[in-house]
Amino acid sequence: HRLSGVSGVDAVRLAGPSDPRLLLTHLGLDQYAGSEIVVLELIEWFAARGWRVDLFTSVVRGPMARELAGRIAEGAVRVITIDDALDLAPGDYRLVWINHSFLPTAFVEALGDSPLEAPLIWHHMSSFVPIEMPLLWETERALASVVTCMAPVARDRLVALGIPPETITIVDNPAPDAFIAFRSHPRPSALTSLLVVSNHLPRDVRGAIEALEQRGVRVTTVGALGVPQRVTPELIAAH
């Protein structure tokens, strides 16, 4: 929804033709991390609307393998590893979404022979993690219909690295529709429980958690230093 109206992307009818296909690339899927959740929610959104998703990645394992098992079994998702990507062709897709500047070699070689007709979204999920930065910014600038990132600071970093600002749009970690539709119970006036979600828990937040627990507040920490799990509307409503 946030991409509608963006040049090159607004031409894609997200309801799709009878058999729309999306190529989604990501370096690897394993734990409940930020970029993996983006990929998982994209897959779920498109699959729910009748799209078939080709996921090009080096590995799918751990919690992400379990999350995607149903979609893979029903044929909505096809996992394509580096060794299996020799037959990929740009013309097979209605939309291409690139994470980590991760493109199959055969796909890149085919672009030398014919232009890319499908809109290409080149996504960046950090302003400082090296793998999230443009690796070949001239190639990205030439191919991308739109470059997306998650915050103004990331946009500024991309501009400094050579990406034209007019091609960049901010997609600031949108939540699935289920979070909007969910209706929770009225909350008590006193703070009795707190949900903390982070894979990068700052030291001052850890100190605040300890202080709150000493005051009798029930604190649930979800993430690398707590319980790794997917955040749901029900989990939020329980705190």
Side-chain angles (χ1 to χ4, degrees):
H1 298 295
R2 294 293 300 275
L3 294 176
S4 63
V6 176
S7 176
V9 179
D10 55 341
V12 179
R13 295 184 180 181
L14 294 181
S18 59
D19 186 27
R21 292 177 64 184
L22 164 70
L23 176 64
L24 175 59
T25 79
H26 193 271
L27 190 57
L29 289 95
D30 185 3
Q31 302 299 320
Y32 288 112
S35 62
E36 280 91 335
I37 292 297
V38 169
V39 170
L40 178 60
E41 291 178 349
L42 281 169
I43 288 174
E44 292 175 342
W45 195 93
F46 279 96
R49 287 155 180 79
W51 285 62
R52 288 193 302 154
V53 180
D54 281 354
L55 173 61
F56 175 62
T57 186
S58 60
V59 63
V60 178
R61 62 190 177 194
M64 287 297 103
R66 294 190 291 273
E67 291 282 357
L68 290 172
R71 298 292 188 184
I72 294 173
E74 67 188 19
V77 177
R78 180 177 66 154
V79 176
I80 303 173
T81 61
I82 295 173
D83 293 334
D84 300 326
L86 298 179
D87 62 341
L88 291 182
D92 292 341
Y93 301 99
R94 288 274 293 165
L95 183 64
V96 179
W97 183 294
I98 304 296
N99 293 320
H100 298 156
S101 300
F102 192 53
L103 282 167
T105 300
F107 192 90
V108 176
E109 291 175 346
L111 290 175
D113 300 325
S114 59
L116 183 66
E117 296 183 2
L120 189 152
I121 301 170
W122 209 299
H123 191 47
H124 300 274
M125 286 171 273
S126 172
S127 60
F128 60 90
V129 177
I131 193 61
E132 296 287 358
M133 294 296 97
L135 300 182
L136 299 169
W137 67 267
E138 291 179 321
T139 301
E140 180 172 343
R141 185 173 66 176
L143 294 180
S145 303
V146 61
V147 175
T148 55
C149 61
M150 36 63 69
V153 65
R155 177 192 57 204
D156 295 343
R157 179 64 174 153
L158 293 175
V159 171
L161 292 173
I163 304 299
E166 65 271 15
T167 67
I168 302 173
T169 191
I170 295 176
V171 181
D172 49 356
N173 293 331
D177 292 342
F179 286 83
I180 300 173
F182 191 85
R183 293 292 179 265
S184 61
H185 300 293
R187 305 188 188 283
S189 57
L191 178 61
T192 58
S193 61
L194 175 68
L195 175 65
V196 179
V197 182
S198 177
N199 281 332
H200 313 279
L201 201 60
R203 181 176 300 175
D204 54 348
V205 176
R206 295 183 220 172
I209 290 173
E210 293 176 3
L212 288 168
E213 288 179 330
Q214 291 173 1
R215 293 170 54 184
V217 176
R218 175 176 59 89
V219 180
T220 302
T221 303
V222 172
L225 297 179
V227 179
Q229 62 178 304
R230 190 170 184 184
V231 176
T232 64
E234 293 79 10
L235 180 63
I236 293 176
H239 293 81

